[in-house]
Amino acid sequence: MSRIGKMPITVPASVKVAVKDGYIHVEGPKGKLNCKTRDEVTLKIGKEEIIVEVADDSKASNSYHGLYRQLVHNMVVGVTTGFSKTLELVGTGFRAQTDGSTLTLNIGYSHPVVFEAPENVKFETPAPTKIVVWGINKQVVGNLAADIRAMRKPEPYLGKGIKYDNEHIRRKEGKTGK
């Protein structure tokens, strides 16, 4: 039995959780999220908490126990507070601009790189070298931030590129002359 799966999920009063037609529906002040359920896992929905239970003691059921507990927890947190990832651009002339739901990056290529925000995701640029990806779905926010970072990964010699704000780049020593 999963240690994470045993923990109950606390649900704020502003969040509604329902299971219909094989989907978990979570609705809150920031938006709505859906997740497909599996037969190995059942949800007991109370007024203030949700408990995830396994159908039997099979290996398949136990493997989904902690996963679905965390998925439902992330959905509840997403519709109440949301998730964000902060990226920093390091390099001469590297800058980012937002225009509505479009993010334009000038990161040393001959052309600007443009990203369109998916549904329920916003881009913010508090500074020309800082990008904040914000949304209610943790997986979508993380994948989009990883895609942006993949356009110009930080290199170990000068540290130029796009990095997460809490990421530390291990620097290498360059060539030395005789």
Side-chain angles (χ1 to χ4, degrees):
M1 196 158 242
S2 171
R3 289 184 198 166
I4 292 175
K6 290 181 192 177
M7 295 189 299
I9 303 163
T10 57
V11 180
S14 61
V15 176
K16 297 176 187 169
V17 181
V19 179
K20 294 178 191 168
D21 302 329
Y23 281 89
I24 304 165
H25 301 281
V26 180
E27 185 177 344
K30 303 272 185 194
K32 299 177 185 177
L33 289 173
N34 301 329
C35 179
K36 190 166 174 49
T37 61
R38 297 192 56 98
D39 295 333
E40 294 91 348
V41 179
T42 58
L43 289 154
K44 283 193 175 179
I45 301 170
K47 281 192 171 194
E48 297 178 1
E49 68 179 16
I50 301 170
I51 297 172
V52 179
E53 294 180 342
V54 291
D56 53 13
D57 281 340
S58 68
K59 188 173 181 180
S61 294
N62 290 334
S63 65
Y64 289 113
H65 192 203
L67 171 70
Y68 272 88
R69 187 263 176 210
Q70 200 60 35
L71 287 174
V72 173
H73 173 71
N74 286 342
M75 289 168 46
V76 170
V77 171
V79 297
T80 55
T81 59
F83 296 100
S84 68
K85 289 273 189 181
T86 306
L87 300 160
E88 293 179 1
L89 283 75
V90 179
T92 306
F94 286 16
R95 65 183 183 276
Q97 297 172 336
T98 55
D99 184 31
S101 64
T102 305
L103 175 70
T104 306
L105 301 173
N106 293 321
I107 49 176
Y109 295 127
S110 61
H111 54 82
V113 179
V114 178
F115 281 95
E116 285 291 328
E119 185 180 348
N120 294 328
V121 176
K122 288 190 257 180
F123 294 121
E124 297 173 6
T125 51
T129 60
K130 197 168 251 196
I131 304 166
V132 178
V133 181
W134 186 92
I136 61 173
N137 191 335
K138 187 174 186 176
Q139 183 178 357
V140 171
V141 169
N143 284 343
L144 187 57
D147 289 344
I148 293 170
R149 183 183 179 273
M151 292 309 296
R152 179 73 81 175
K153 289 184 181 175
E155 54 99 10
Y157 294 101
L158 298 175
K160 291 172 60 172
I162 302 172
K163 68 180 192 85
Y164 295 111
D165 65 337
N166 57 358
E167 182 180 10
H168 176 71
I169 307 300
R170 290 188 63 197
R171 300 291 291 272
K172 291 184 179 179
E173 188 176 323
K175 291 183 179 179
T176 57
K178 282 190 174 183

